[in-house]
């Protein structure tokens, strides 16, 4: 597994989903497969985690 500083709480949150999605796309997998139950995500790199945290800061919570 690729080393990153993703915390357990982040891994189970939107940050984790974004990081896994970025890793999946970077591995060359199609975006249309992201939410398929059979998808095996690539391990997020530190860059994926950093980018996911940055993206998450720009999301606004919806009531």
């Amino acid at each position: 597994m690729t080393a990153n500083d993703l915390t357990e709480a982040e891994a189970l949150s939107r940050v984790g989903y974004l990081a896994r999605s970025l890793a999946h796309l970077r591995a060359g997998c199609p975006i249309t497969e992201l939410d398929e139950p059979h998808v095996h995500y690539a391990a997020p790199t530190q860059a994926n985690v950093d980018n996911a945290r940055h993206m998450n800061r720009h999301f606004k919570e919806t009531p």
Side-chain angles (χ1 to χ4, degrees), residues 1-7 19 23 26 42-50 53:
M1 182 166 189
T2 305
N4 62 57
D5 66 355
L6 191 65
T7 67
R26 189 167 289 171
T45 64
Q46 186 61 47
N48 297 139
V49 173
D50 293 342
R53 287 177 180 142

Side-chain angles (χ1 to χ4, degrees), residues 2-63:
T2 305
N4 62 57
D5 66 355
L6 191 65
T7 67
E8 183 176 351
E10 287 176 322
L12 300 174
S13 72
R14 181 170 42 211
V15 172
Y17 180 79
L18 289 168
R20 288 188 305 275
S21 297
L22 290 169
H24 180 79
L25 295 173
R26 189 167 289 171
C29 300
I31 196 167
T32 55
E33 292 183 357
L34 280 176
D35 289 323
E36 295 295 320
H38 69 280
V39 170
H40 297 285
Y41 289 99
T45 64
Q46 186 61 47
N48 297 139
V49 173
D50 293 342
N51 288 333
R53 287 177 180 142
H54 176 78
M55 292 166 63
N56 190 54
R57 283 194 295 268
H58 294 283
F59 282 112
K60 295 197 185 298
E61 293 297 326
T62 56

